[in-house]
Amino acid sequence: MDRYDYIIIGAGSSGCVMANRLSANRNKKVLLLEAGGKNKSILVKMPAGVGNLINEKNQFNWGFRTEPEPHLDNRTLFWPRGRGLGGSSAINGMIYIRGHKRDYDEWAQMGLQGWSFADVLPYFKKTENAERGESSHRGVGGHLNVTSENPRNPLMGTFIEAGQQAGFPYTDDFNGVEQEGVGWYEYTIRDGERASSSVSYLSPVLHRSNLNCQTDAHVTKLILEHGQIIGVEYRKGKSAETVKVLANEEVVLSAAVIHSPHILQLSGIENPEDLKAANIDVVHELPGVGANLQDHLDLSVGCFTDPEHSLYQATKPLAKLMTGLNYILRKKGLGRANGLESGGFLKTRPELERPDVQIHVVAAISEGCNEGPVNEHGFAIHACQLRPASRGRIRPRSNDPDDVPKIYANYLDNEFDREVMRAGYKMVEQIITQDAMKPYVKGRYTPSYSLIDDAEIDAWIRAESETIYHPVGTCKMAPDHDPGGVVDKDLRVRGIGGLRVVDASVMPTLIGGNTNAAAIMIAEKIADSMIPV
């Protein structure tokens, strides 16, 4: 039975960082296990490939579905999650957002010492190479390249102008001193190529002799003896026999928001009632596993527009082929772009201390996040609630590791969430009707007319809203007095030795923005604490 000092489960946004940092000590043997493949496809490399990666279940995308959502007309929502090296950073929209500084100060106020914004800012700066240059809030020289370079559609600048006409401020840097306002996004792209965590952190160190990276390695169980995790069981390929490996020091679970709690559950670590219902023997009672699920629910207002302002033409087979060839042969054209150039962070009420709605502008309209583009020239303005009060749960379906867990997102379970989503819709309508936008709006797609009545708005949101891919919280970081906690401030699992969870599942509350940058920061911070000075 092979032995390693550290075993890392999951080569996603956080796991690749952990592999890089822990293997920097050449005296430590590190094993990185990833259930998916190597993700070498041109679709992963090319930023414009995001539309093909995220909209359907494929070799790069687990393509989960929620259980019927009671407050969304009992719809089952498509949940894309990255599979393979880089995890969701290999299929996401590449937008770089840290969240609001108050998000992290709240973590510290919960009793999580060391997680205030002042504590985490140095790690955000350490991770990044900001092409805009170094400042009090931005870093250079890090592994993760952050750029604002993108072929800019005039529509995107017009949105920013219309946002200011509607009374919203302009911000030059969503990751700087002030997040609130409309402006241009930055991206994890380097020289026209997706800068996933795999590309940024893992690929440069795969040559290390003390780092063993195994793909197509599906972890089925953690090995627990006398209150200590001593190893891992996994299958190399779907039909292969189970392999057991031992850890001298620690196992790091970085399998993300769905798989991290699911692996704990398959190992008998969770609420006894849920485990027994799935025919799993209870090994360690920890009720918070899988609970505290939070996600950004998104609404999308779609409008028809002129061909020159829409990406619809680029979605046709011949155009996609030409885009791909131009990118492969010359590394130019639309292949370098993600189509998500501008947006905003807005307050639904002026007295709020921070924005509670995020805007994404897309130069295309679609039927839904896994239904593909509408066969018309158009654009969409998306709005998501940043800090929902509703909480969901991940539950095991059975004791079979191949049986995907049940996802209960529980969107809009709280009246507060319904109020914020309603207000977010009204702000989008306010921007669309500004003088700057009027020449671009050639008709309405969804909703087919401007909704006024609150009940009508609520019904449309229930029928049309979707995830915008930012689930967190299912292995909650919490102080000892919180009965729902799964890990402590150092991300050690409660009551079990030799095991940490290091990924977005540990976030106690959802941050105000896209979650990839924060997942990388979390790994940098914890790896730093694990490496002897």
Side-chain angles (χ1 to χ4, degrees):
M1 203 177 300
D2 290 338
R3 279 187 171 273
Y4 294 85
D5 294 293
Y6 298 106
I7 300 173
I8 303 165
I9 303 170
S13 299
S14 302
C16 288
V17 177
M18 298 302 293
N20 178 300
R21 297 308 189 191
L22 295 181
S23 66
N25 183 343
R26 300 303 178 90
N27 295 318
K28 300 294 184 181
K29 289 179 63 180
V30 178
L31 173 64
L32 177 62
L33 300 173
E34 168 54 45
K38 297 182 184 298
N39 285 355
K40 295 293 187 181
S41 169
I42 186 65
L43 291 175
V44 175
K45 180 179 179 180
M46 180 175 64
V50 59
N52 297 85
L53 299 171
I54 209 165
N55 289 332
E56 62 182 18
K57 184 175 182 178
N58 51 52
Q59 63 178 308
F60 316 105
N61 184 348
W62 288 98
F64 295 108
R65 278 199 170 273
T66 70
E67 298 300 299
E69 286 294 317
H71 307 291
L72 298 181
D73 294 345
N74 286 315
R75 291 183 293 134
T76 63
L77 272 60
F78 181 74
W79 267 35
R81 294 283 89 200
R83 179 174 186 168
L85 298 183
S88 290
S89 73
I91 69 168
N92 68 0
M94 294 157 283
I95 292 177
Y96 180 84
I97 292 291
R98 296 172 174 176
H100 195 277
K101 59 185 179 182
R102 182 77 179 118
D103 298 334
Y104 302 98
D105 288 342
E106 280 190 348
W107 292 4
Q109 290 172 7
M110 292 174 186
L112 297 168
Q113 184 182 3
W115 289 95
S116 71
F117 184 69
D119 294 318
V120 302
L121 178 58
Y123 291 99
F124 275 121
K125 294 177 70 174
K126 179 182 179 180
T127 67
E128 75 170 337
N129 180 54
E131 290 187 0
R132 65 168 55 225
E134 189 172 12
S135 70
S136 62
H137 280 64
R138 306 305 300 271
V140 297
H143 286 274
L144 189 67
N145 199 70
V146 180
T147 182
S148 57
E149 185 243 340
N150 220 345
R152 287 183 171 175
N153 185 325
L155 168 69
M156 300 296 175
T158 299
F159 162 82
I160 295 174
E161 182 183 355
Q164 293 175 89
Q165 289 177 352
F168 302 113
Y170 172 77
T171 184
D172 178 59
D173 183 1
F174 291 132
N175 300 294
V177 176
E178 181 55 65
Q179 185 191 56
E180 182 186 5
V182 292
W184 299 100
Y185 280 121
E186 292 176 284
Y187 324 96
T188 49
I189 295 174
R190 183 191 293 272
D191 298 330
E193 297 181 6
R194 174 189 291 273
S196 68
S197 62
S198 173
V199 169
S200 303
Y201 280 90
L202 184 60
S203 293
V205 300
L206 281 175
H207 66 279
R208 291 175 179 169
S209 59
N210 63 322
L211 174 61
N212 180 3
C213 177
Q214 292 288 324
T215 53
D216 298 311
H218 189 176
V219 171
T220 57
K221 191 177 182 180
L222 305 172
I223 304 172
L224 179 67
E225 284 189 6
H226 308 297
Q228 181 87 8
I229 296 296
I230 64 166
V232 170
E233 295 183 2
Y234 72 95
R235 290 198 308 258
K236 180 66 175 174
K238 195 161 186 176
S239 60
E241 292 184 3
T242 298
V243 179
K244 293 184 179 182
V245 287
L246 300 179
N248 294 328
E249 297 191 26
E250 292 190 51
V251 171
V252 177
L253 186 51
S254 296
V257 176
I258 296 174
H259 281 116
S260 282
H262 193 220
I263 290 170
L264 290 172
Q265 290 161 345
L266 291 170
S267 305
I269 304 168
E270 208 240 89
N271 184 333
E273 292 182 3
D274 290 343
L275 294 178
K276 291 174 182 176
N279 293 316
I280 300 172
D281 292 333
V282 179
V283 173
H284 179 71
E285 182 175 349
L286 197 54
V289 172
N292 193 49
L293 176 61
Q294 303 154 62
D295 187 27
H296 288 149
L297 186 66
D298 177 76
L299 61 85
S300 174
V301 176
C303 298
F304 300 114
T305 192
D306 295 321
E308 62 266 29
H309 302 132
S310 168
L311 291 175
Y312 165 63
Q313 196 69 30
T315 66
K316 294 185 176 181
L318 181 59
K320 288 171 74 171
L321 175 62
M322 296 306 296
T323 296
L325 288 173
N326 192 25
Y327 181 82
I328 293 168
L329 298 176
R330 303 172 62 233
K331 214 173 183 180
K332 293 185 179 296
L334 288 177
R336 298 174 63 94
N338 66 351
L340 302 163
E341 298 162 35
S342 65
F345 292 85
L346 311 178
K347 297 177 181 178
T348 59
R349 293 179 285 120
E351 66 271 21
L352 295 176
E353 64 179 358
R354 55 189 159 170
D356 57 342
V357 166
Q358 182 179 2
I359 306 292
H360 296 82
V361 185
V362 183
I365 46 178
S366 66
E367 294 283 0
C369 72
N370 72 321
E371 301 297 332
V374 173
N375 294 325
E376 297 279 356
H377 295 288
F379 67 90
I381 299 180
H382 294 251
C384 71
Q385 180 193 9
L386 289 175
R387 295 173 194 87
S390 302
R391 296 291 185 270
R393 190 174 184 91
I394 304 293
R395 286 181 172 166
R397 195 176 299 272
S398 74
N399 58 8
D400 183 351
D402 291 323
D403 206 358
V404 297
K406 298 177 182 179
I407 302 171
Y408 299 94
N410 207 26
Y411 296 112
L412 301 185
D413 180 58
N414 191 288
E415 174 58 28
F416 169 76
D417 297 350
R418 296 190 285 273
E419 291 175 359
V420 176
M421 290 293 288
R422 193 184 307 137
Y425 167 77
K426 292 178 180 179
M427 287 196 299
V428 172
E429 288 286 352
Q430 184 182 355
I431 294 172
I432 286 175
T433 56
Q434 297 302 314
D435 289 342
M437 290 295 296
K438 287 180 180 177
Y440 290 83
V441 179
K442 304 300 181 182
R444 302 292 295 262
Y445 174 67
T446 180
S448 57
Y449 60 92
S450 180
L451 305 176
I452 304 298
D453 181 72
D454 283 354
E456 199 173 24
I457 295 171
D458 290 349
W460 177 74
I461 291 172
R462 287 195 303 271
E464 299 292 338
S465 57
E466 300 274 357
T467 176
I468 203 161
Y469 327 129
H470 302 151
V472 306
T474 51
C475 295
K476 178 183 176 181
M477 173 173 54
D480 291 342
H481 61 77
D482 184 341
V486 175
V487 298
D488 65 14
K489 65 182 179 61
D490 298 311
L491 308 192
R492 295 186 177 97
V493 175
R494 282 187 181 179
I496 298 177
L499 177 63
R500 299 188 203 229
V501 181
V502 184
D503 55 37
S505 72
V506 306
M507 294 185 189
T509 54
L510 191 48
I511 63 166
N514 311 66
T515 52
N516 180 247
I520 290 172
M521 174 277 292
I522 288 169
E524 282 277 22
K525 186 176 187 303
I526 294 302
D528 191 42
S529 71
M530 293 173 65
I531 298 170
V533 177

